[in-house]
C-alpha cells in the first residue's frame, strides 16, 4: 500500500468515526429527551430526520471508501455496488432537502407574530412530518436510475469511460444523459441553497431587529446570555453556512468528475471527502448550541415541576 493511500485511508477513517459518533450521540440525546419527558421544539423532528439521513450517508459511503483507501477493493459484488450507491444518493438528497426545511422551519418559528408568517407558525408543525416522509419517498423514486450506471470491480467489463471509486465503477452514461444529470444536480443544489440563503438572511434580520428592540427597552444593560431560540437560530445559521460552503466545493469536484474522461482516484477521494464533511460535522454544530445538552437533567427537572 502506498503512503498516499494510507494517508487518505486514515483521513476517511477519522471522518467516518467522527461522523458516526456525532450522529449517534445526537440521536441518543433525543432518545433521552423522549424518555425523560422533556418538551420538544418544533425543529427537533426535522433534526432527527436529518441525523438519520446523515448516518446513512456516512455508513453507505464513508465506510466503503475507508475500506477501499486501506486496500480492500473487491468486497462488493455488482448488486452490492448498485444498492450501496442508491442508498447513498437517496440519503444524501434527503439530507439536503431536510437541511433546507430546517432553515425554513426556524425562520417561521422566530418570526414575529404580526408578520406574514403568523398563520404558518400555528400550522407548521402539522406539515413537518408529512414533508419529511414525502422527501424520502420522492428521492427514492427519483434515484432509481442510479443503480443502472454502477457496477462492481469484480465484473471486469472493458469499460473505457468510467469513474473508479476504489471499490465500484460508475459507467459513463453518454454525453446527453451526463449533461442532463449534471444540470439536474446543479439546479437542485441552486434551488435548495437559494432557499437556505434567503431564510438565513431573514433570520439574521429578525435577530438584529430583536436585539435593537431589546437594547432600546433595557438600555445598555442587556444580558449577554442569549435565549434558547437565539441559540437554536445561531446553530442553524452556522449549519447552513457549513452546508453551503461544502456543497459548493463538492459540486465543483463533481463537475470535474463529469468532465474528465477517466478521473484519478485522488480526485474522487477529494470529492468524497468534501461531500462527507457536512454529515460528519453537523451533529457537533447542533449539539454545541443546544442548551439542553449541558444542563439536560436540570432542564428536565424544571419542566417536570412546572405546573401545566
Amino acid at each position: 500500500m502506498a503512503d498516499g493511500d494510507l494517508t487518505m485511508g486514515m483521513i476517511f477513517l477519522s471522518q467516518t468515526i467522527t461522523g458516526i459518533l456525532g450522529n449517534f450521540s445526537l440521536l441518543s440525546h433525543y432518545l433521552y429527551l423522549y424518555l425523560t419527558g422533556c418538551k420538544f421544539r418544533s425543529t427537533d423532528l426535522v433534526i432527527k430526520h436529518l441525523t438519520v439521513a446523515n448516518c446513512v450517508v456516512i455508513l453507505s459511503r464513508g465506510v466503503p471508501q475507508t475500506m477501499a483507501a486501506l486496500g480492500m477493493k473487491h468486497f462488493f459484488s455488482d448488486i452490492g455496488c448498485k444498492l450501496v450507491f442508491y442508498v447513498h444518493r437517496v440519503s444524501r438528497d434527503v439530507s439536503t432537502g431536510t437541511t433546507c426545511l430546517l432553515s425554513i422551519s426556524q425562520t417561521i418559528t422566530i418570526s414575529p407574530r404580526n408578520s406574514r408568517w403568523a398563520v404558518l407558525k400555528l400550522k407548521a408543525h402539522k406539515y413537518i412530518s408529512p414533508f419529511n416522509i414525502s422527501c424520502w419517498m420522492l428521492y427514492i423514486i427519483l434515484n432509481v436510475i442510479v443503480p443502472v450506471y454502477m457496477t462492481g470491480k469484480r465484473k471486469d467489463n472493458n469499460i473505457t469511460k468510467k469513474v473508479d471509486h476504489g471499490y465500484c465503477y460508475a459507467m459513463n452514461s453518454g454525453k446527453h444523459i451526463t449533461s442532463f444529470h449534471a444540470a439536474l444536480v446543479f439546479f437542485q443544489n441552486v434551488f435548495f441553497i437559494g432557499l437556505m440563503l434567503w431564510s438565513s438572511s431573514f433570520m439574521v434580520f429578525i435577530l438584529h431587529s430583536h436585539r435593537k428592540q431589546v437594547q432600546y427597552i433595557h438600555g445598555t444593560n442587556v444580558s449577554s446570555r442569549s435565549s434558547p431560540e437565539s441559540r437554536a437560530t445561531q446553530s442553524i445559521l452556522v449549519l447552513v453556512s457549513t452546508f453551503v460552503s461544502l456543497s459548493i466545493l463538492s459540486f465543483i469536484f463533481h463537475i470535474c468528475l463529469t468532465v474528465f474522461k477517466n478521473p484519478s482516484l485522488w480526485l474522487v477521494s477529494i470529492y468524497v471527502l468534501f461531500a462527507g464533511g457536512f454529515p460528519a460535522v453537523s451533529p457537533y454544530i447542533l449539539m454545541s448550541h443546544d442548551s439542553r445538552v449541558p444542563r439536560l437533567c436540570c432542564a428536565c427537572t424544571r419542566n417536570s415541576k412546572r405546573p401545566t
Side-chain angles (χ1 to χ4, degrees):
M1 182 188 302
D3 293 338
D5 294 336
L6 180 60
T7 302
M8 188 59 69
M10 297 307 297
I11 293 174
F12 278 125
L13 181 62
S14 301
Q15 185 186 67
T16 301
I17 294 176
T18 302
I20 291 175
L21 289 177
N23 284 284
F24 276 98
S25 297
L26 188 56
L27 288 176
S28 302
H29 163 61
Y30 282 110
L31 178 62
Y32 188 84
L33 288 178
Y34 173 77
L35 294 176
T36 53
C38 288
K39 185 178 179 181
F40 281 94
R41 297 169 182 167
S42 58
T43 55
D44 284 344
L45 181 60
V46 186
I47 294 176
K48 285 186 283 186
H49 276 267
L50 174 63
T51 306
V52 171
N54 287 338
C55 285
V56 179
V57 171
I58 294 172
L59 293 174
S60 61
R61 192 63 182 269
V63 174
Q65 201 73 42
T66 301
M67 296 172 62
L70 293 177
M72 298 173 283
K73 299 181 181 295
H74 300 280
F75 50 87
F76 273 139
S77 63
D78 187 55
I79 296 177
C81 279
K82 295 178 184 297
L83 180 62
V84 74
F85 267 84
Y86 174 69
V87 171
H88 166 73
R89 187 66 63 83
V90 171
S91 57
R92 187 197 67 180
D93 290 345
V94 170
S95 177
T96 302
T98 309
T99 305
C100 182
L101 175 63
L102 180 62
S103 178
I104 295 175
S105 299
Q106 187 63 20
T107 304
I108 296 174
T109 300
I110 67 172
S111 60
R113 294 184 178 181
N114 58 352
S115 67
R116 65 183 65 180
W117 302 102
V119 178
L120 289 177
K121 290 185 72 170
L122 300 175
K123 299 181 179 180
H125 67 280
K126 298 180 181 179
Y127 301 108
I128 287 177
S129 182
F131 183 89
N132 282 324
I133 296 174
S134 300
C135 190
W136 282 96
M137 297 302 298
L138 175 65
Y139 288 118
I140 286 174
I141 296 172
L142 289 180
N143 287 295
V144 292
I145 195 66
V146 172
V148 176
Y149 304 108
M150 301 306 304
T151 183
K153 299 197 76 171
R154 294 179 180 178
K155 189 176 181 181
D156 188 16
N157 296 329
N158 293 323
I159 308 170
T160 57
K161 295 182 179 181
K162 60 189 178 183
V163 178
D164 186 3
H165 290 274
Y167 54 97
C168 293
Y169 286 134
M171 296 178 291
N172 195 315
S173 51
K175 182 178 180 180
H176 297 291
I177 297 179
T178 301
S179 301
F180 173 77
H181 180 262
L184 184 64
V185 172
F186 173 76
F187 284 113
Q188 176 180 311
N189 289 336
V190 167
F191 175 74
F192 282 119
I193 289 176
L195 284 178
M196 291 182 206
L197 293 177
W198 170 80
S199 60
S200 299
S201 302
F202 193 65
M203 280 190 282
V204 171
F205 173 76
I206 293 174
L207 289 178
H208 180 68
S209 300
H210 178 70
R211 184 174 182 84
K212 288 179 63 177
Q213 184 179 9
V214 171
Q215 287 179 343
Y216 175 77
I217 295 174
H218 298 284
T220 57
N221 297 323
V222 181
S223 174
S224 60
R225 184 178 177 182
S226 58
S227 65
E229 292 80 6
S230 178
R231 285 194 294 268
T233 304
Q234 290 171 7
S235 71
I236 294 174
L237 289 173
V238 176
L239 192 75
V240 169
S241 301
T242 305
F243 177 84
V244 171
S245 302
L246 292 175
S247 293
I248 292 175
L249 290 173
S250 62
F251 180 73
I252 292 173
F253 282 96
H254 179 78
I255 294 298
C256 294
L257 295 179
T258 304
V259 173
F260 295 158
K261 183 177 180 180
N262 287 312
S264 65
L265 190 57
W266 270 91
L267 184 62
V268 176
S269 298
I270 295 174
Y271 162 72
V272 175
L273 193 64
F274 280 122
F278 177 75
V281 303
S282 59
Y284 299 98
I285 296 174
L286 292 169
M287 288 189 291
S288 65
H289 291 81
D290 194 340
S291 59
R292 298 169 296 179
V293 173
R295 298 184 299 274
L296 194 57
C297 297
C298 298
C300 291
T301 303
R302 288 195 298 268
N303 288 338
S304 61
K305 292 181 179 180
R306 186 174 299 171
T308 57

